[in-house]
Amino acid sequence: MKLASGRQGRDGTLFVVSRDGSRVAAAHDIAPHLQAALDDWERSEPQLRRRFEALQTGALSGQAITEVELGAPLPRAY
């Protein structure tokens, strides 16, 4: 499973990235940003994994990674 941060907001916005790196799916409904996902990993990991698998199988189309402005994974790491 690959995760990325969009440049929106102070802490970024969470995305799940396809295995080949060509597509992304928003995951801010699971956790607003990567730090929040890590802080509550027991809850967020299964949901993120399901989103990743849906993106991989085509059940979720997502969007081209070139359409998203990505930033540092943890812009304000603690």
Side-chain angles (χ1 to χ4, degrees):
M1 174 172 57
K2 296 179 185 181
L3 302 172
S5 294
R7 288 188 156 223
Q8 300 80 17
R10 193 165 79 158
D11 293 313
T13 305
L14 188 59
F15 286 94
V16 174
V17 182
S18 64
R19 189 169 283 122
D20 68 2
S22 66
R23 304 203 56 77
V24 296
H28 59 268
D29 58 315
I30 297 171
H33 44 77
L34 183 54
Q35 186 65 58
L38 294 173
D39 289 345
D40 194 11
W41 191 245
E42 284 187 37
R43 182 196 63 79
S44 60
E45 188 273 336
Q47 295 176 60
L48 291 168
R49 186 157 306 279
R50 283 191 294 276
R51 180 82 40 101
F52 172 74
E53 292 301 327
L55 186 61
Q56 279 303 113
T57 63
L60 178 64
S61 61
Q63 64 188 101
I65 198 165
T66 56
E67 297 175 6
V68 178
E69 189 176 346
L70 298 177
L74 294 167
R76 289 187 325 124
Y78 306 125

